Amino acid sequence: MLDGALGIWTVVVFVFLYLPIGVLVAYSFNSSKLNILWESFTLDWYVQLWSNAPILRTLKNSLIVATGTTAVSVVIGTTGAWLLHRYRYKFSRSLQTLICIPMMMPEIVMGISLLIFFTAVSLPLGYVSVMIAHVTFCFPFVLVAVQARLQGLDPALEEAALDLGATPLKAFWLVIVPCLRPAILSGGLMAFTLSMDELIISYFTTSPASATLPLKVFGMAKVGLNPMLNALSAVFIVTTIILVLFSEYLRRLGTRPAQAA
Amino acid sequence: MKKSCCLILAGVLALAGCKSKEDAKVLNLFAWSEYIPQTVLDGFTAETGIKVNYETFSSGEEMLAKLLAGGVGYDIIQPPDYIAEVLIKEGELLPLDTAKLSGLDNILPEFRGMPHDPQDAYTVPYMTGSVGIVVNTERVTTPVKGFKDLFKPEHSGRIVVVDDGRELVVAALYTLGLGINDITPENIAAARPLLASWFPMIKLFDSDSPKTALLNGDVDLGYVWGGEAAILWDEDKKFQYILPEEGAHIFVDVVAIPAKAPHPDAAHAFISYLLRPEVSKLISDEFPYTNPNGAARKLLTEDQLANPGSYPKTELALDTFRHIGESGALIDELVTDLKNTSGQ
Amino acid sequence: MQTIGLPGTAAPHARKPGLWGWLLLAPMVLWLLLFVVVPTGILAVYSFCQRDDLGRVVFSFTWDNYVRVFDPIYLNILGRSVAYAGLTTIICVAVGYPVGWYIARRPAGLRNLLLLLVMIPFWTSFLIRTYAWIAILKNEGLLNGLLLSAGAITAPLELLYTPVAVVIGLVYAYLPFMILPVYGSAEKVDNALVEAAHDLGAGPVRAFSEVIIPLTLPGIAAGVLLVFVPAIGMFAITDLMGGARVPMIGNVIQNQFFKARNWPFGAALGVVFTLMFVFTYLAVQWHGRRSQR
């Protein structure tokens, strides 16, 4: 019964999460260029989107940066969480606090200070500088999520692997990581999302060639966020959902014979 | 993990390496987002073979912050007049070489020799605009002529204003008959009670898109950028724009070349290109601000010229903003304080 | 009673790190030093400086910026930011916890799918998403239209540009950051434990409060951290959905670097803000460790 109630609640929350997305997709068919009031139905924006090179380029940049950021954040965050869990370092607690600082630091402070630093070490602005900045505030999210999962993890698990002759690294890779997978997945998802949406830090650490989508979108607010942006979001979301469902379908196809055997 | 560090390092070196090679024909442009049409940039590249790297910002302050924190290597920047003034004063701009420029005569006389650059030695006006009052005449039937009519109790909760401390303080100074560039502690103190009476009537502060709330019908009056009013008027003629009778000012966005620009020749070529009437017209077609280019104005349609947001009719002598230096902090303190006490 | 172990308290079996332990940790420590400590250090230096006409830093020592930070107005604004962040966190726990738990109890394939579906809405642009909320909440918007036509209300509710809209916006933005860590922790809970509780005669409510919640506390603690901490500095939502009528600490700091052009004061605000966080965090950690003993 409780499960049923939770199920209904989950549905309600999903409606809340997707309500604005529904509105956003509906407005992508709006013929009004300013896209504030509804005018009439059109598919024009989807057509125009295909030929709008600058927007597509910023989307590509956002995806490159978010993917790179997620990969590095997951590596640093997961190993960091594991090490802090496994070993008692002299300065563990100070380190833990330090890790959380980028999460709370106002974007402007981080953006300006990183730009000053990059200029001082003459690192040219581009993909690398944006990714460094993004990883700095994204990996703590992975780390915290993984740490929560590690708490109460049976230490016998790793010890058993070590007793069986595995090196610590092998034990980590073969025993710990699979066990942490759900937390790594949620941490990675958070990192990717944060990176996709970051505006101010990106502004200070990017060059024109690596400018990301949020910079373009915020700039457009001045002349009106035209429905092309909604169309872009709609295409992106629908493609992602289809890809996810498809890969899930493939996975099921793949596992079914094994189950039968 | 060490591997990824090595990869990053290799990436850094690779990027640093190729940056210095492809220097030949590029122009690094640092300008407002959505202010220079892509067609203009493409046209320039097609004609000169110079590739344009268009980096954007969305406020003059944002531009200055990045410039000061270390953004370097720009050939053209696009500051508002009051920031250009201090950049000139600090020696951050390159004097223009008029021999390399053509089309300067196209600029209307009233936009030449302006206070921020009296000799026109460093800057060329790009687009200008005003700040004024927009009224939804379907919902507000009493005439609104100035700030006194805007901030009336019956309009309480129906007003949007730009979220810009200086504009708000200036509105108060105009109403009090004080000089808008005299940001002194005394004048700020005089403006405070007036602003304190205005703030509770304001429904929202929005600098980026005040038109949204007006179009949605959540508010009926606004103190907004002329460009926003021009877009509203284009959408629906019920939105009327006027310059407040107490006084109004214009802002001029200029193009200028930083002192350390790596490609000054390309920069001069680009400014000349922007000055051409047919190019300047393209800008007006896409972004309805006030065009200071007289030759380009002749090419505009009657409808464009009739838009009060772009070309307001007025007998007022229009002021411009001057650099106010550290007094900016006084304004910020006042506005933060008033918002803090008048809000929930 | 188990106390909330903050993420990061090393496991009881944790041992002294050997050479490998240090070597593996080195890249992260280096990263933090280079990209957090050094830039923050630069700003800390700035915070003791004065500024010139442009807002640039002039290296001459002063305490003034710190004196100004403790002006009651800024403390008041900080208080407001913390209050909004706190309210957001509480609502996120209440709304998000059951969802995280429910997803964790689904079959493996469905789990990952649902998890992705929680996050996908946030792969749209923030501004576009927020404008969609504006279309829903405005006076002549979707919500008022629905309620009016259903006869639930007679006049449109004024939601947009009020604190209610701000809270809706904040909860929306941060909810996934609660659901995901809760999921990560709940997925680990053995079904057998839950069933055992039932078998021993615990009703669903007791099983939930005495077995499930304690087992997933690390997830809740992580979620609280991931929602509360970033929410303090947030101001884009209060600006867009609340009409920017009240300043948040994030606005104040940003304004120093942009509009007020007073970098040293902005830096001082940033430093004090960071230090307050550090001390609170250390205090909570210390308290947590003591009560665990």
Side-chain angles (χ1 to χ4, degrees):
Chain A
M1 195 203 70
L2 183 68
D3 205 52
L6 287 178
I8 293 169
W9 181 248
T10 304
V11 171
V12 170
V13 171
F14 269 95
V15 170
F16 174 64
L17 288 175
Y18 278 84
L19 185 66
I21 305 306
V23 172
L24 179 161
V25 173
Y27 271 78
S28 70
F29 302 109
N30 187 4
S31 62
S32 159
K33 188 168 185 246
L34 288 177
N35 207 19
I36 294 167
L37 301 177
W38 179 265
E39 248 175 41
S40 60
F41 181 88
T42 179
L43 285 171
D44 279 359
W45 302 109
Y46 286 87
V47 179
Q48 287 192 28
L49 182 63
W50 279 125
S51 52
N52 194 312
I55 287 192
L56 293 177
R57 205 186 56 225
T58 55
L59 174 67
K60 192 189 82 188
N61 284 340
S62 275
L63 287 174
I64 293 174
V65 170
T67 311
T69 300
T70 308
V72 181
S73 298
V74 162
V75 173
I76 298 186
T78 310
T79 50
W82 178 65
L83 289 166
L84 285 176
H85 175 80
R86 192 169 186 276
Y87 297 112
R88 201 185 292 278
Y89 292 97
K90 266 212 190 82
F91 51 88
S92 277
R93 274 186 298 160
S94 325
L95 196 60
Q96 182 71 32
T97 313
L98 187 59
I99 289 164
C100 291
I101 286 181
M103 289 194 331
M104 53 72 66
M105 200 182 247
E107 289 135 327
I108 179 86
V109 172
M110 195 157 156
I112 287 202
S113 61
L114 278 174
L115 176 55
I116 295 170
F117 175 70
F118 290 153
T119 314
V121 299
S122 51
L123 173 76
L125 299 185
Y127 291 108
V128 174
S129 59
V130 189
M131 274 191 234
I132 288 178
H134 281 200
V135 168
T136 306
F137 72 84
C138 284
F139 92 83
F141 283 81
V142 181
L143 190 135
V144 169
V146 172
Q147 274 181 331
R149 175 91 182 177
L150 275 166
Q151 276 199 6
L153 182 85
D154 195 347
L157 218 58
E158 196 199 341
E159 275 155 24
L162 293 176
D163 289 346
L164 291 171
T167 60
L169 271 182
K170 221 170 180 180
F172 173 68
W173 186 247
L174 293 177
V175 179
I176 308 290
V177 169
C179 177
L180 296 180
R181 197 175 289 144
I184 296 176
L185 178 67
S186 34
L189 277 175
M190 290 193 276
F192 186 83
T193 310
L194 288 165
S195 171
M196 285 288 285
D197 238 8
E198 166 52 41
L199 172 74
I200 297 168
I201 297 176
S202 309
Y203 167 75
F204 281 103
T205 52
T206 196
S207 70
S210 60
T212 55
L213 186 60
L215 291 168
K216 180 79 185 161
V217 174
F218 272 78
M220 285 176 78
K222 195 155 51 102
V223 285
L225 294 166
N226 76 38
M228 200 189 296
L229 294 170
N230 295 58
L232 181 73
S233 291
V235 169
F236 190 59
I237 282 211
V238 171
T239 323
T240 320
I241 292 179
I242 290 175
L243 280 178
V244 169
L245 289 176
F246 188 66
S247 66
E248 178 57 25
Y249 172 74
L250 285 184
R251 204 185 62 85
R252 285 202 185 164
L253 273 190
T255 50
R256 202 163 290 151
Q259 276 168 354
Chain B
M1 193 158 46
K2 262 180 278 161
K3 216 184 238 170
S4 65
C5 285
C6 289
L7 273 177
I8 289 172
L9 218 86
V12 173
L13 295 175
L15 273 181
C18 64
K19 192 107 188 182
S20 52
K21 262 185 246 164
E22 43 146 276
D23 241 17
K25 282 200 139 190
V26 286
L27 177 83
N28 297 321
L29 172 65
F30 193 33
W32 292 80
S33 55
E34 309 307 313
Y35 211 7
I36 305 181
Q38 190 61 39
T39 43
V40 169
L41 301 180
D42 292 345
F44 177 70
T45 306
E47 196 177 298
T48 58
I50 297 171
K51 184 175 168 280
V52 181
N53 292 322
Y54 182 7
E55 179 164 354
T56 60
F57 53 81
S58 51
S59 76
E61 279 76 17
E62 236 181 82
M63 182 214 72
L64 190 62
K66 187 162 185 181
L67 211 60
L68 295 182
V72 283
Y74 302 119
D75 297 307
I76 294 266
I77 56 171
Q78 202 180 33
D81 44 11
Y82 61 100
I83 289 180
E85 181 182 352
V86 63
L87 289 173
I88 294 171
K89 205 176 104 194
E90 299 282 328
E92 299 281 342
L93 298 183
L94 190 76
L96 296 174
D97 184 349
T98 41
K100 287 185 195 158
L101 289 177
S102 54
L104 279 173
D105 303 340
N106 293 339
I107 300 293
L108 290 168
E110 62 260 42
F111 298 104
R112 289 195 215 158
M114 297 185 73
H116 63 269
D117 182 13
Q119 264 76 55
D120 285 328
Y122 298 91
T123 62
V124 174
Y126 177 77
M127 278 282 162
T128 76
S130 53
V131 188
I133 296 170
V134 65
V135 179
N136 179 342
T137 49
E138 267 175 23
R139 298 257 189 99
V140 179
T141 44
T142 52
V144 176
K145 289 191 181 134
F147 297 117
K148 278 195 292 291
D149 310 318
L150 174 64
F151 294 105
K152 278 201 296 200
E154 59 259 45
H155 296 153
S156 182
R158 297 162 67 193
I159 304 171
V160 57
V161 298
V162 291
D163 193 12
D164 185 311
R166 186 159 183 193
E167 295 293 355
L168 296 169
V169 168
V170 159
L173 292 178
Y174 271 133
T175 310
L176 296 168
L178 297 168
I180 64 160
N181 288 309
D182 303 329
I183 309 294
T184 57
E186 298 77 51
N187 283 356
I188 291 281
R192 175 184 277 266
L194 188 59
L195 283 170
S197 71
W198 288 355
F199 271 39
M201 299 184 205
I202 296 169
K203 174 101 173 175
L204 76 148
F205 299 80
D206 185 351
S207 282
D208 297 323
S209 181
K211 60 186 170 300
T212 307
L214 281 158
L215 266 178
N216 275 333
D218 283 326
V219 294
D220 305 323
L221 305 106
Y223 177 48
V224 303
W225 316 117
E228 291 279 310
I231 296 173
L232 284 168
W233 191 81
D234 259 347
E235 187 75 12
D236 194 327
K237 303 285 182 275
K238 74 183 177 191
F239 293 107
Q240 283 298 325
Y241 178 77
I242 55 130
L243 295 179
E245 62 184 358
E246 290 91 344
H249 68 93
I250 52 167
F251 51 85
V252 184
D253 292 319
V254 303
V255 283
I257 308 174
K260 291 177 197 129
H263 314 106
D265 284 338
H268 280 93
F270 187 69
I271 295 178
S272 301
Y273 188 76
L274 290 178
L275 281 168
R276 288 188 202 168
E278 65 279 11
V279 173
S280 189
K281 175 192 178 292
L282 288 176
I283 303 168
S284 274
D285 287 346
E286 202 147 331
F287 307 113
Y289 307 99
T290 313
N291 196 328
N293 188 319
R297 271 201 207 179
K298 293 200 184 98
L299 303 175
L300 298 182
T301 64
E302 258 173 54
D303 205 42
Q304 280 174 313
L305 291 169
N307 191 330
S310 317
Y311 302 98
K313 285 164 195 61
T314 179
E315 264 100 67
L316 293 170
L318 298 174
D319 300 304
T320 56
F321 273 5
R322 304 296 303 278
H323 171 63
I324 50 170
E326 301 190 358
S327 312
L330 290 176
I331 291 175
D332 181 67
E333 217 169 323
L334 172 69
V335 171
T336 306
D337 192 12
L338 287 175
K339 273 192 182 181
N340 192 38
T341 44
S342 76
Q344 315 83 1
Chain C
M1 176 69 202
Q2 192 183 342
T3 49
I4 296 193
L6 259 188
T9 27
H13 68 286
R15 46 198 139 160
K16 277 206 155 342
L19 180 66
W20 271 106
W22 284 105
L23 222 56
L24 284 168
L25 193 72
M28 185 179 81
V29 175
L30 202 68
W31 190 288
L32 285 167
L33 283 178
L34 272 181
F35 304 125
V36 180
V37 176
V38 171
T40 318
I42 298 177
L43 277 188
V45 172
Y46 280 14
S47 67
F48 291 104
C49 294
Q50 294 175 357
R51 68 201 167 104
D52 70 358
D53 230 17
L54 266 175
R56 264 183 315 204
V57 170
V58 178
F59 293 94
S60 66
F61 182 86
T62 174
W63 284 106
D64 288 358
N65 300 312
Y66 283 94
V67 175
R68 227 184 116 193
V69 169
F70 292 97
D71 187 321
I73 174 182
Y74 298 111
L75 296 179
N76 187 308
I77 293 170
L78 180 65
R80 179 185 298 118
S81 299
V82 171
Y84 267 108
L87 184 62
T88 306
T89 312
I90 291 167
I91 300 178
C92 279
V93 174
V95 174
Y97 182 86
V99 179
W101 171 261
Y102 182 81
I103 295 178
R105 300 288 101 192
R106 297 306 98 198
L110 193 59
R111 269 197 314 248
N112 289 345
L113 189 69
L114 288 174
L115 206 58
L116 264 169
L117 285 179
V118 169
M119 212 75 230
I120 284 175
F122 298 86
W123 294 357
T124 53
S125 292
F126 168 80
L127 211 52
I128 308 286
R129 223 158 49 223
T130 310
Y131 273 87
W133 269 116
I134 289 177
I136 294 169
L137 296 177
K138 67 185 179 185
N139 277 351
E140 294 157 17
L142 203 64
L143 187 64
N144 274 321
L146 271 177
L147 291 174
L148 280 172
S149 62
I153 49 169
T154 49
L157 295 174
E158 195 167 312
L159 292 167
L160 194 57
Y161 311 124
T162 67
V164 176
V166 172
V167 173
I168 292 177
L170 286 170
V171 169
Y172 185 79
Y174 288 107
L175 194 53
F177 296 91
M178 182 62 71
I179 296 179
L180 267 58
V182 166
Y183 162 84
S185 172
E187 199 257 1
K188 201 173 60 179
V189 176
D190 199 336
N191 259 333
L193 262 175
V194 185
E195 273 157 29
H198 284 298
D199 292 345
L200 292 171
V205 178
R206 265 193 75 194
F208 209 79
S209 64
E210 286 179 23
V211 180
I212 296 173
I213 294 203
L215 282 172
T216 47
L217 265 184
I220 300 177
V224 167
L225 192 67
L226 296 186
V227 172
F228 182 68
V229 172
I232 304 174
M234 159 58 86
F235 61 92
I237 290 171
T238 30
D239 276 4
L240 284 164
M241 292 177 76
R245 274 189 300 182
V246 291
M248 296 285 147
I249 193 70
N251 295 95
V252 174
I253 296 180
Q254 177 139 325
N255 279 354
Q256 302 314 315
F257 290 96
F258 288 163
K259 287 175 189 156
R261 276 191 250 150
N262 191 348
W263 289 27
F265 181 55
L269 278 167
V271 167
V272 169
F273 187 38
T274 310
L275 285 179
M276 277 182 174
F277 167 77
V278 166
F279 287 129
T280 316
Y281 194 80
L282 285 175
V284 173
Q285 265 187 330
W286 187 73
H287 180 79
R289 230 169 60 125
R290 233 172 49 132
S291 51
Q292 258 179 348
R293 277 191 188 148

